[in-house]
Amino acid sequence: MTERFDTDMGDTGGYTAEQLLKALEAVRFISAENLKTGDTVKDYCQKRGIPMEILKELGFGSIPSPKILTEKMKAMGADSGCLQVLGLLNGSRTSVLTNRLTIPIMDRTGRVVAFSGRALKDDVKPKYLNTSTSPVFEKRKILYGLDRCIKTAKDNDLILVEGFMDVVGARMVGVQNCAATMGTSLTEEQTALIRDLGCTVTMVYDNDDAGRLGMCRAVRLLTKQGVPVSVISLSDLDRQFVKDETLAHKDLMDYARLGVKAGDLAKIREPGLTFLFRESYFRTAVQDSRQFCSILQAAREDLRLSGSRAAFLDVAVRNSPFTQDQILRLCRNETLDLSGKTEKAANHKKDLVLKEQDIVRWYMQQAVEKGPETCRKILGQLEQTLSQERSHTWDRDMDHDH
């Protein structure tokens, strides 16, 4: 099957998608071969404790000089003129990824569509440099590593991490079903890729504020798409594995070097919604009902997520001075119902005439809560209600349906 390419993304330079893909595959092969002789890159990998067998498995490498690269591409029957279109050479025909550890980026079918280069020295910026958007590559539509675990992750569990080296770290601890968002927030397109797999997701982001915020945002996205999601907070490993607290342990590779294994990660996995509510609303101690009501107001949007009510109650009981009954009363005072039933707020009953959009909103909520089987009946009731202009009988209709 021929796959469609977004040819409006960047100048093709007159090259077809097939020509671009052939050039990229040639660069991948040359880069991987060059890793065997590139002492600088090998020294960097050894210092970081990255096993060479994993680098070879993932196709990491080192791009030679433009002259050598073009000569080898010509010998392989690939057009080196593609390199500038793909962003591997700049306007002066200088290699963009020279003196970097090169990482081939594949689409879900395993075709090389781009490269990233990791700086070999910490003072070189940017740390990661990706080749440009092209007719065959849009970063927001790719999950790095998905091609290697797409079969095993289907109907199973996908480990979602932030970056390329996190995938390496995952392999070091014994986790294979791992894909990365390449250092950016999870996108709608990436979420759709995951949803189509029919798998569950476990996120393992960096042990810092950015990582926590990223996981909270991803929990929202995935839950809205109906993807069951769990979270592993690396900070939960510190008590057992971190002996020197003066050393920073941030990402999965750091913990891999400490001896963390897949079983250790599994022990600290928790539901994504539990993590979301704790990290978003209960990071500081709740002192009184006024503070709790402020949390309720802030959490209203998240409480619309499927399964959120039970998760919120559990987190609230554990992280506040209130019992479950007290929390439910506070919620009712704020016109929120965490019992799973539709809330009929007192101020609604005072309104004898409600706008049509309020009627539509209530009926659509009924359709969501009662499931697809009764959706057609609900919509029929809605049509009848609006056509007969019965908005003044709002309370009677609502009580009758219940």
Side-chain angles (χ1 to χ4, degrees), residues 34-48 52 61-62 98-101 118-121:
N34 198 51
L35 180 65
K36 300 175 182 178
T37 58
D39 292 337
T40 304
V41 173
K42 287 198 293 186
D43 288 345
Y44 163 79
C45 296
Q46 289 173 356
K47 287 179 181 178
R48 291 209 64 187
M52 289 299 293
S62 173
T98 297
N99 296 321
R100 287 176 177 266
L101 175 66
R118 206 286 184 195
L120 302 180
K121 296 181 180 179

Side-chain angles (χ1 to χ4, degrees), residues 42-83:
K42 287 198 293 186
D43 288 345
Y44 163 79
C45 296
Q46 289 173 356
K47 287 179 181 178
R48 291 209 64 187
I50 306 173
M52 289 299 293
E53 59 268 22
I54 292 179
L55 293 180
K56 292 177 182 178
E57 177 190 352
L58 297 176
F60 285 25
S62 173
I63 291 181
S65 68
K67 181 179 179 181
I68 295 175
L69 179 61
T70 55
E71 288 176 353
K72 290 189 174 184
M73 288 183 66
K74 184 178 180 180
M76 295 176 66
D79 193 337
S80 62
C82 299
L83 296 176

Side-chain angles (χ1 to χ4, degrees), residues 115-286:
F115 283 88
S116 185
R118 206 286 184 195
L120 302 180
K121 296 181 180 179
D122 292 335
D123 58 351
V124 174
K125 305 299 179 183
K127 183 166 65 173
Y128 286 94
L129 183 62
N130 295 335
T131 51
S132 56
T133 297
S134 76
V136 297
F137 173 63
E138 288 185 72
K139 187 176 181 180
R140 71 177 189 273
K141 296 182 178 180
I142 299 289
L143 279 171
Y144 173 74
L146 186 63
D147 61 297
R148 295 179 178 274
C149 58
I150 195 167
K151 292 182 179 179
T152 51
K154 188 174 180 64
D155 300 322
N156 202 336
D157 192 47
L158 176 71
I159 307 300
L160 188 63
V161 295
E162 290 185 79
F164 306 105
M165 289 302 174
D166 294 319
V167 175
V168 176
R171 275 173 159 68
M172 289 171 66
V173 303
V175 173
Q176 300 297 318
N177 290 344
C178 187
T181 59
M182 296 185 286
T184 61
S185 297
L186 183 69
T187 66
E188 295 281 358
E189 292 88 346
Q190 292 166 340
T191 304
L193 287 175
I194 296 171
R195 179 199 61 211
D196 292 345
L197 281 179
C199 64
T200 60
V201 168
T202 299
M203 289 186 294
V204 192
Y205 281 19
D206 285 356
N207 180 21
D208 57 16
D209 289 339
R212 286 188 287 272
L213 288 172
M215 285 197 287
C216 287
R217 182 181 181 279
V219 166
R220 294 182 178 101
L221 271 178
L222 292 165
T223 303
K224 286 179 181 178
Q225 291 295 326
V227 179
V229 55
S230 300
V231 167
I232 291 174
S233 182
L234 291 174
S235 61
D236 292 341
L237 296 169
D238 289 353
R239 182 177 300 178
Q240 180 180 355
F241 291 94
V242 175
K243 307 303 180 184
D244 187 349
E245 295 182 358
T246 63
L247 298 177
H249 298 95
K250 178 182 177 182
D251 57 29
L252 193 52
M253 185 174 288
D254 289 336
Y255 287 90
R257 287 195 289 260
L258 292 175
V260 172
K261 298 300 180 185
D264 301 312
L265 297 176
K267 291 176 183 177
I268 59 173
R269 183 170 58 186
E270 64 178 330
L273 287 171
T274 299
F275 177 88
L276 169 65
F277 286 120
R278 186 184 67 248
E279 294 298 321
S280 298
Y281 306 106
F282 291 95
R283 285 182 63 82
T284 58
V286 176

Side-chain angles (χ1 to χ4, degrees), residues 381-392:
Q381 293 174 341
L382 170 60
E383 182 178 2
Q384 183 181 14
T385 299
L386 293 178
S387 65
Q388 296 180 1
E389 296 182 353
R390 292 170 57 203
S391 61
H392 62 284

Side-chain angles (χ1 to χ4, degrees), residues 364-377:
M364 293 308 294
Q365 179 64 29
Q366 291 295 291
V368 170
E369 291 184 355
K370 295 183 179 180
E373 294 80 10
T374 58
C375 186
R376 184 176 299 178
K377 178 181 177 182

